[in-house]
Amino acid sequence: MNGVQRTPVEAFDDKGVLITDVEEGQPCLQCGETCSGFSPHTWRKNCTSCKCPREAHDVCHEEWVSVRSRLGLKGDESNGPIGVDPRERGLAWAPPGLPSHKVEEYFSMLPEIAVPRLGTPGERHRDRQLAIQLPKQDLARAYCRHLDPKHASSADDFMAARNEIALDIGSVQEVLERDLECGVCESSLKYGSLAVSASKLGLLYHPTCFRCADCKELLVDLAYCVHDDMLFCERHYAEQLKPRCAACDELIFSGEYTKAMNKDWHSGHFCCWQCDESLTGQRYVLRDEHPYCIKCYESVFANGCEECNKIIGIDSKDLSYKDKHWHEACFLCNRCRVSLVDKQFGSKVDKIYCGNCYDAQFASRCDGCGEIFRAGTKKMEYKTRQWHEKCFCCVVCKNPIGTKSFIPREQEIYCAGCYEDKFATRCVKCNKIITSGGVTYKNEPWHRDCFTCSNCNNSLAGQRFTSRDDKPYCADCFGELFAKRCTACSKPITGIGGTRFISFEDRHWHNDCFICAGCKTSLVGRGFITDGDDIICPECAKMKLM
């Protein structure tokens, strides 16, 4: 897997069955390339190379003779056809006794990561769940490296009782009765669908509900234990009855053990995470959920003092500022050497100074009052200028602006209200501020609602209009009030919109109205003759004379 050569580690259980586990040299799935490969600690469950747990590495198990024999169970695990190899179906494991199409139906009901197809993340997930849920040291005494021989019989009795009373393997079967409920969620099981049977409890479960009540993980290879009428993986079943050492991950069968950090430990395993020295009866420091002796903690994690360059031990107060650290006694002004503990201070070029020394050497001045900014004083900045908070005021009303919006103009600062009062565009008619939708007429601003005809007061925004004596008029009012009138139709000649007209002496006509009174033909561009109040074409004039 992953192109890494696995090195088998072999042992035999008390019945002489070969136990094969592949782990040494396997890469860490958390650290990646920073881990040189799984290197087992002499007694911890962690890798000595990266200190991650064994199950965080790409470990896997070569199957024993069968799942049942792997768990030490008696009897035949098959509930259907025998001899079908899951690997022929491209799977690392499949529920025994199911035809191929039912196997696919079963796995279609599970999350993709829980489907152990060969060469996929699902296969590696199963390997890790086997290591977590079915720890080898719980299943075979050959792997119990820290079991005192005088407690061996207690371990045998525990394993035998577990195998007989609590441990079993679920089977997958069709739901052949109606009105059945899932043993966990109590929702109905669909007739004809697949469910997992737990014979120890006599219940059926949705495949996605067949989980450990403690870790909530799907039960790997359907192996389960029963305790208080609930399902558990073997690991968490065992922890209901026995303490487990937080260091070596083995169950503790001795009556004497250490309790610390809300965990249980073999008496000799509560040790420094760095040097493995016993912490029983010793002071220790907890870091990332691991205990360290004082010496290791200070050498690995303690900070160095910027002033004296010595380690700041756990018995000293560590004062920090911008990723730098000081002993309490070393936290001094770089110039006058006064203590800065519980005092205002400033920093410049990685040095710290008391307020007075900082002000004397580095403090800038307020653009409002001209006074310096003392260390710790709040400063308001805009572009290249800066003010004390109380000096950052509107030039008109003198009120501090603080975090409110402001408007700069010609080196002065205005609050929004004063800026509007002084500079905002105002309507020439109502003198109120135009916030949106204004109209410009003769270079002067108007509200749209204020820009109306001087005669009828109808809005002129978007309408045809003209002016007289600097006053705007709509076309209709302008024509009625000021326009020449057509001699023919008596309607006003406004000229708006390109209308053309003809004048003769003191009379005027629309182009369309300038026609012969006799034949009604247009006289535009032609000669004409006046006949009293009428105008006629030369032809009609001749006819009149004949």
Side-chain angles (χ1 to χ4, degrees):
M1 191 180 297
N2 296 335
V4 178
Q5 182 64 41
R6 298 187 183 278
T7 303
V9 178
E10 297 181 352
F12 293 86
D13 68 9
D14 54 358
K15 298 178 182 179
V17 178
L18 177 64
I19 305 170
T20 305
D21 189 55
V22 181
E23 54 183 33
E24 285 195 72
Q26 301 311 313
C28 181
L29 302 177
Q30 290 181 357
C31 297
E33 296 180 357
T34 61
C35 177
S36 59
F38 183 71
S39 174
H41 190 274
T42 54
W43 49 270
R44 291 190 193 277
K45 63 180 179 180
N46 302 82
C47 170
T48 59
S49 175
C50 66
K51 291 189 175 294
C52 292
R54 172 185 176 274
E55 58 268 17
H57 295 72
D58 195 16
V59 297
C60 77
H61 296 256
E62 297 294 336
E63 293 291 352
W64 296 357
V65 175
S66 68
V67 175
R68 298 190 76 86
S69 60
R70 173 191 184 123
L71 300 178
L73 299 177
K74 300 177 181 179
D76 184 9
E77 68 177 338
S78 175
N79 60 355
I82 303 175
V84 178
D85 185 357
R87 292 184 174 272
E88 294 178 0
R89 304 174 181 174
L91 297 164
W93 172 85
L98 292 181
S100 295
H101 70 284
K102 288 294 182 182
V103 170
E104 289 301 322
E105 180 183 343
Y106 168 74
F107 282 128
S108 71
M109 302 170 75
L110 300 181
E112 187 64 28
I113 193 65
V115 182
R117 298 194 190 280
L118 297 177
T120 69
E123 180 188 15
R124 293 188 287 276
H125 177 74
R126 172 179 175 260
D127 285 338
R128 290 191 292 277
Q129 288 303 309
L130 284 170
I132 295 170
Q133 295 188 30
L134 303 173
K136 57 189 179 180
Q137 65 274 16
D138 284 20
L139 303 179
R141 187 151 55 83
Y143 278 122
C144 295
R145 295 182 291 172
H146 306 289
L147 178 65
D148 192 311
K150 65 183 179 182
H151 300 301
S153 60
S154 296
D156 288 340
D157 292 343
F158 175 81
M159 293 179 186
R162 176 201 60 203
N163 294 355
E164 183 68 27
I165 299 171
L167 183 59
D168 198 7
I169 297 175
S171 61
V172 180
Q173 61 187 54
E174 285 191 58
V175 178
L176 299 178
E177 297 182 40
R178 301 187 185 277
D179 300 325
L180 293 179
E181 293 183 350
C182 173
V184 171
C185 70
E186 299 182 351
S187 297
S188 61
L189 295 167
K190 185 178 179 182
Y191 179 81
S193 65
L194 294 181
V196 181
S197 171
S199 60
K200 291 282 186 183
L201 291 173
L203 297 173
L204 295 177
Y205 301 83
H206 293 111
T208 53
C209 291
F210 201 62
R211 297 173 180 268
C212 171
D214 188 295
C215 65
K216 310 303 181 185
E217 291 286 345
L218 289 171
L219 291 162
V220 64
D221 290 10
L222 304 183
Y224 70 94
C225 286
V226 174
H227 182 68
D228 289 340
D229 293 331
M230 291 190 294
L231 300 174
F232 291 89
C233 65
E234 192 286 327
R235 168 182 289 275
H236 293 111
Y237 164 82
E239 292 175 7
Q240 301 294 311
L241 304 173
K242 295 289 181 182
R244 185 183 297 277
C245 180
C248 69
D249 205 37
E250 292 186 21
L251 296 175
I252 302 173
F253 292 96
S254 169
E256 296 182 1
Y257 59 93
T258 300
K259 290 189 74 70
M261 300 163 43
N262 294 321
K263 297 178 181 179
D264 302 315
W265 316 72
H266 282 114
S267 294
H269 285 178
F270 184 55
C271 298
C272 173
W273 184 250
Q274 185 74 14
C275 69
D276 290 343
E277 288 295 319
S278 175
L279 295 175
T280 302
Q282 304 296 318
R283 296 171 68 203
Y284 66 90
V285 181
L286 187 63
R287 173 81 178 224
D288 299 329
E289 297 187 357
H290 298 300
Y292 292 84
C293 67
I294 303 302
K295 181 179 179 181
C296 287
Y297 181 85
E298 291 184 347
S299 66
V300 176
F301 300 111
N303 299 303
C305 177
E306 285 290 314
E307 181 67 25
C308 67
N309 295 321
K310 294 180 181 179
I311 291 294
I312 305 174
I314 65 167
D315 294 321
S316 300
K317 184 179 288 188
D318 184 336
L319 303 180
S320 64
Y321 175 70
K322 289 188 175 180
D323 297 326
K324 297 183 183 298
H325 300 263
W326 293 264
H327 290 102
E328 185 175 18
C330 295
F331 194 55
L332 308 173
C333 172
N334 188 64
R335 187 178 184 190
C336 70
R337 311 307 292 169
V338 68
S339 174
L340 300 178
V341 177
D342 296 328
K343 295 180 181 177
Q344 289 185 338
F345 65 92
S347 66
K348 192 78 170 182
V349 195
D350 295 332
K351 302 293 184 182
I352 55 175
Y353 299 87
C354 66
N356 291 333
C357 291
Y358 183 88
D359 291 343
Q361 287 190 262
F362 311 111
S364 53
R365 294 186 177 273
C366 173
D367 282 309
C369 67
E371 296 295 325
I372 63 172
F373 292 99
R374 299 194 177 278
T377 301
K378 192 170 184 179
K379 182 190 297 184
M380 311 297 288
E381 295 184 348
Y382 176 70
K383 293 188 175 178
T384 59
R385 305 175 69 196
Q386 51 194 0
W387 298 263
H388 291 108
E389 187 175 18
K390 63 183 177 60
C391 297
F392 189 55
C393 300
C394 171
V395 70
V396 177
C397 66
K398 307 302 181 182
N399 289 325
I401 291 174
T403 58
K404 294 182 293 186
S405 60
F406 65 92
I407 302 168
R409 184 183 176 99
E410 297 177 357
Q411 300 300 309
E412 302 289 359
I413 300 296
Y414 297 84
C415 66
C418 290
Y419 184 88
E420 284 189 352
D421 289 342
K422 189 166 185 176
F423 301 109
T425 301
R426 294 180 179 273
C427 175
V428 297
K429 183 174 183 179
C430 69
N431 200 38
K432 294 181 180 179
I433 294 171
I434 300 175
T435 57
S436 62
V439 175
T440 299
Y441 173 63
K442 290 186 178 295
N443 294 322
E444 292 183 327
W446 305 63
H447 287 113
R448 292 179 64 87
D449 294 339
C450 292
F451 189 57
T452 59
C453 173
S454 298
N455 184 60
C456 67
N457 284 325
N458 288 333
S459 175
L460 297 179
Q463 306 297 321
R464 295 192 308 161
F465 71 92
T466 187
S467 64
R468 176 87 172 215
D469 299 328
D470 291 331
K471 295 181 180 179
Y473 295 87
C474 64
D476 291 341
C477 288
F478 184 84
E480 291 295 331
L481 296 174
F482 308 111
K484 298 178 177 64
R485 292 189 175 271
C486 178
T487 301
C489 69
S490 298
K491 293 181 180 179
I493 302 173
T494 62
I496 297 174
T499 302
R500 301 176 67 184
F501 68 95
I502 297 168
S503 295
F504 176 69
E505 295 179 347
D506 58 347
R507 292 188 291 174
H508 313 279
W509 294 264
H510 292 106
N511 262 25
D512 293 341
C513 296
F514 192 58
I515 59 176
C516 174
C519 63
K520 307 302 181 184
T521 59
S522 175
L523 297 178
V524 176
R526 297 176 56 189
F528 63 90
I529 298 170
T530 60
D531 184 17
D533 291 335
D534 296 329
I535 54 173
I536 57 176
C537 62
E539 288 77 9
C540 287
K542 290 179 183 179
M543 293 291 295
K544 252 190 153 182
L545 293 174
M546 292 177 62

